[in-house]
Amino acid sequence: MPDRRFATVAIVGKPNVGKSTLLNALVGEKLAITSDKPQATREPVVGILTRGDAQFVFVDQPGLMDPSYLLHEAMRRAAISWVKQSDMILYLHPAGIDEPPAFPSLVPELRSVRQPVALVRSMADKMADETADPEGDPPVFWVSARTRAGIEDILEWCHAQAPVRPWVYDDDDITSQPQRFFVTEFVREAAFELLGQELPYSLAAEVDEFREGSDPLYIRVTIYVERETQKRMVIGKNGRKIKMLGASARAKIEELFEQRVYLDLWVKTLPKWRSKPGAVARFGFAGPDASSI
Ligand SMILES: Nc1nc2c(ncn2[C@@H]2O[C@H](COP(=O)(O)OP(=O)(O)O)[C@@H](O)[C@H]2O)c(=O)[nH]1
Ligand SMILES: [Mg+2]
């Protein structure tokens, strides 16, 4: 059997540059939630791609480069440590806008990284006639996660950097995260799509019941918001809003799980949960500062 390659790849960049969308395009599955509102991603999302002799683990690390995103110090340290240990880094900066700041200057702790870094000019479909320079230092790729232009070039570059090493996951694994994680993420993504500007930031979701083996798969989720007024907005007139939310989230979950799902959604208020460390830890959410939005 030929030698196998295995590599971990960190996807980093400022908020809203297309990190989550790129992760999905690289893996070919909708894993990471995306939004035109910044800071939708609260936790690292892991996507696994196995192709030919290589297995890649891509990780979208939220908020690493946004000083206003108050990551808990412990989480920030964990994110930095993960990026430091990754085999290579994809540094995203949107095409066209301006020249990107030099990669490590944004995160002082990463100044000493020695692994290969590629500059990815994302959202290239919004721009005309840019030229990539895969041989440059750093190598530069113009990529559109939307049209998939440039995706293969990135994968080739990653392959060339990947160390010869045994695989860690099965060849059909697409993530290392539990199914429950995606349930709450997709509920949150539906909230970003259907609720007003600020509400999604006050919202957390928790899986209360997940009936393994049931068909349709029964999942009960509680949505937590901070105020009664928010609860009323989530439920909507005659329960219309929550029905839409549930339908949208269910479709996303069914697509990923490839099975029918019964999503039972509830809404509760948990006053000021974002400023309570216990609740913040319980929902795996590390910011932003409630007073800043
Ligand atoms: N036109 C275009 N839009 C994109 C592309 N990639 C991401 N976007 C959009 O940019 C916004 C931010 O993307 P997201 O992946 O959530 O950014 P993140 O905050 O860096 O994870 C979303 O509305 C995406 O749909 C792309 O290649 N082309
Ligand atoms: Mg994101």
Side-chain angles (χ1 to χ4, degrees), residues 38-285:
Q39 299 165 343
T41 310
R42 287 176 179 173
E43 283 191 76
V45 181
V46 179
I48 301 167
L49 175 70
T50 304
R51 279 211 326 188
D53 64 347
Q55 184 165 74
F56 304 101
V57 177
F58 297 100
V59 178
D60 172 11
Q61 290 283 357
L64 202 57
M65 292 186 168
D66 181 8
S68 75
Y69 192 93
L70 294 184
L71 279 177
H72 277 341
E73 198 40 43
M75 255 182 115
R76 187 181 140 82
R77 272 202 305 275
I80 287 169
S81 146
W82 198 91
V83 173
K84 276 185 173 167
Q85 287 167 39
S86 63
D87 295 307
M88 64 199 82
I89 296 170
L90 299 176
Y91 168 39
L92 265 64
H93 189 80
I97 294 180
D98 49 11
E99 284 303 305
F103 159 68
S105 66
L106 293 166
V107 187
E109 293 92 331
L110 293 177
R111 282 207 183 111
S112 58
V113 295
R114 296 198 196 294
Q115 63 269 60
V117 179
L119 174 60
V120 176
R121 303 302 299 268
S122 53
M123 309 189 196
D125 52 292
K126 292 183 174 174
M127 291 294 303
D129 298 336
E130 304 264 11
T131 34
D133 182 12
E135 307 296 328
D137 181 25
V140 183
F141 296 95
W142 257 266
V143 169
S144 165
R146 197 154 282 178
T147 67
R148 295 193 60 84
I151 294 291
E152 281 302 316
D153 300 330
I154 294 189
L155 286 170
E156 261 171 45
W157 180 82
C158 292
H159 186 269
Q161 319 301 319
V164 172
R165 223 193 262 155
W167 293 350
V168 173
Y169 299 97
D170 287 345
D171 60 4
D172 57 357
D173 284 349
I174 53 170
T175 185
S176 60
Q177 277 149 312
Q179 284 187 310
R180 283 160 187 259
F181 171 76
F182 296 99
V183 170
T184 52
E185 286 295 278
F186 291 165
V187 167
R188 289 204 311 110
E189 186 176 56
F192 269 97
E193 288 161 3
L194 295 167
L195 300 173
Q197 281 297 320
E198 292 178 11
L199 194 44
Y201 297 105
S202 309
L203 183 151
E206 192 172 51
V207 174
D208 298 317
E209 192 177 343
F210 193 103
R211 265 182 225 157
E212 299 278 357
S214 60
D215 180 27
L217 175 62
Y218 176 87
I219 310 172
R220 185 157 49 88
V221 172
T222 302
I223 290 176
Y224 291 94
V225 287
E226 297 189 306
R227 291 190 299 269
E228 277 301 315
T229 48
Q230 294 175 330
K231 180 174 164 179
R232 281 200 292 277
M233 281 191 271
V234 173
I235 293 172
K237 207 172 168 197
N238 300 325
R240 237 179 276 157
K241 207 59 163 193
I242 186 110
K243 215 172 250 170
M244 281 166 69
L245 250 167
S248 164
R250 177 170 52 78
K252 296 169 194 285
I253 298 164
E254 287 183 334
E255 165 113 26
L256 182 63
F257 293 3
E258 295 178 337
Q259 92 182 88
R260 288 190 309 141
V261 167
Y262 184 94
L263 184 62
D264 195 4
L265 272 188
W266 295 78
V267 190
K268 287 186 185 160
T269 48
L270 193 59
K272 298 205 172 113
W273 70 262
R274 286 184 301 173
S275 23
K276 292 177 179 156
V280 168
R282 172 170 150 205
F283 300 134
F285 173 41

Side-chain angles (χ1 to χ4, degrees), residues 14-21 32-35 37-43 45 60-63:
K14 290 183 176 174
N16 246 359
V17 296
K19 298 182 295 295
S20 300
T21 312
I33 67 167
T34 65
S35 172
K37 297 176 185 138
Q39 299 165 343
T41 310
R42 287 176 179 173
E43 283 191 76
V45 181
D60 172 11
Q61 290 283 357

